[in-house]
């Protein structure tokens, strides 16, 4: 399995051979590494430590990735320990989900227009490869956000979740009411996700602790709508 550092080295080599504009940032300083550890609340995994001691980030064809999480990003209910590593400059972020034990997990696109969360890569190494495969941030998104916003195909109702054969899904659903939709992203498949802002910018978004199980509040239907819904 290719490590993040190896993926970065290979990507930079391929980009330069093909004449693309690619550059590696200097390694993280001791202070930057301390700040990153403080941000995630634990020591860095070995492969991430190796990565940041090699480069603090990189850029290719105008896409910039920084591993230190310096960008301001807050989505506490869904990603309490996220490290933002890239942005498109329009308020959309790519963040690494950090578990409570300090392990670096999947990379998510968290967009505000449209307001969706998309699983971009199972971890940071394939995300680095995706950046080198793309030529701009729009291509990196690969229409994933628009597809989820249009259909929201990866969610189920709270009622369906209560009847699930999966005990984790059932247990999560029991903490919710019928006004929530549940998204199960535990298989870490690229392109899966959910609409987080379906009820507006203050939508109630919840998560089942460290698991990639999310719930989002739906728009409340009015009395007439509820009558005709039956």
């Amino acid at each position: 399995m290719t490590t993040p550092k190896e993926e970065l080295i290979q990507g930079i080599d391929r980009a330069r051979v093909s004449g693309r504009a690619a550059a590696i940032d200097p390694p993280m300083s001791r202070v930057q590494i301390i700040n990153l550890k403080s941000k995630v609340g634990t020591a860095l995994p070995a492969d991430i430590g190796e990565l940041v001691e090699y480069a603090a980030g990189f850029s290719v064809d105008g896409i910039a990735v920084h591993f230190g999480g310096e960008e301001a990003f807050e989505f506490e209910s869904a990603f309490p320990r996220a490290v933002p590593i890239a942005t498109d400059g329009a308020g959309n972020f790519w963040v690494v989900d950090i578990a409570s034990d300090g392990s670096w997990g999947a990379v998510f696109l968290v967009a505000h227009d449209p307001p969706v969360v998309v699983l971009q890569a199972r971890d940071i190494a394939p995300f680095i490869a995706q950046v080198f495969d793309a030529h701009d941030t729009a291509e990196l998104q690969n229409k994933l956000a628009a597809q989820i916003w249009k259909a929201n195909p990866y969610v189920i109702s709270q009622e369906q979740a209560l009847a699930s054969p999966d005990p984790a899904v059932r247990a999560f659903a029991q903490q919710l009411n019928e006004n929530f939709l549940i998204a199960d992203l535990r298989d870490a498949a690229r392109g899966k996700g959910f609409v987080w802002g379906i009820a507006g910018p203050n939508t109630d978004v919840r998560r089942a602790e460290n698991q990639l199980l999310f719930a989002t509040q739906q728009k409340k239907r009015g009395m007439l709508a509820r009558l005709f819904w039956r």
Side-chain angles (χ1 to χ4, degrees):
M1 184 175 179
T2 307
T3 68
K5 177 184 174 182
E6 291 168 342
E7 198 67 67
L8 176 56
I9 293 171
Q10 294 171 12
I12 287 288
D13 288 344
R14 291 194 305 271
R16 288 175 174 170
V17 167
S18 61
R20 299 171 67 190
I24 296 180
D25 297 338
M28 276 192 188
S29 68
R30 181 173 176 273
V31 171
Q32 287 176 312
I33 292 176
I34 290 173
N35 288 340
L36 180 56
K37 289 179 180 177
S38 176
K39 183 177 181 64
V40 301
T42 64
L44 302 180
D47 59 343
I48 301 301
E50 180 185 49
L51 174 66
V52 300
E53 288 174 359
Y54 176 74
F58 68 97
S59 60
V60 57
D61 290 344
I63 307 176
V65 177
H66 300 286
F67 305 123
E70 294 90 353
E71 293 279 355
F73 173 83
E74 291 185 9
F75 199 166
E76 187 77 15
S77 60
F79 301 102
R81 289 171 294 276
V83 173
I85 58 173
T87 179
D88 64 356
N92 304 313
F93 290 86
W94 285 268
V95 304
V96 183
D97 185 48
I98 310 296
S100 58
D101 65 0
S103 58
W104 288 45
V107 178
F108 287 86
L109 167 64
V110 182
H112 78 94
D113 186 17
V116 298
V117 167
V118 185
L119 203 157
Q120 182 81 40
R122 70 181 182 276
D123 58 52
I124 200 168
F127 175 72
I128 291 171
Q130 290 174 18
V131 171
F132 283 106
D133 288 340
H135 290 81
D136 54 40
T137 53
E139 186 177 344
L140 185 59
Q141 292 182 22
N142 194 29
K143 300 181 180 179
L144 301 177
Q147 291 170 358
I148 289 174
W149 173 247
K150 183 178 180 180
N152 208 13
Y154 303 111
V155 297
I156 60 174
S157 68
Q158 187 246 7
E159 182 180 10
Q160 290 172 309
L162 287 172
S164 171
D166 189 313
V169 173
R170 289 199 309 274
F172 188 37
Q174 288 166 4
Q175 303 171 29
L176 307 167
N177 60 41
E178 69 279 1
N179 201 42
F180 280 85
L181 299 173
I182 292 94
D184 182 359
L185 309 183
R186 290 174 298 171
D187 63 359
R190 182 185 183 187
K192 294 182 73 171
F194 59 93
V195 179
W196 67 259
I198 199 166
N202 296 318
T203 297
D204 187 358
V205 181
R206 304 184 190 182
R207 180 170 176 178
E209 299 178 344
N210 273 332
Q211 299 185 78
L212 297 184
L213 284 169
F214 301 87
T216 57
Q217 176 189 15
Q218 303 179 71
K219 289 181 179 179
K220 291 184 178 179
R221 297 191 298 271
M223 180 61 71
L224 287 177
R226 290 197 296 270
L227 289 173
F228 282 110
W229 183 264
R230 294 176 177 177

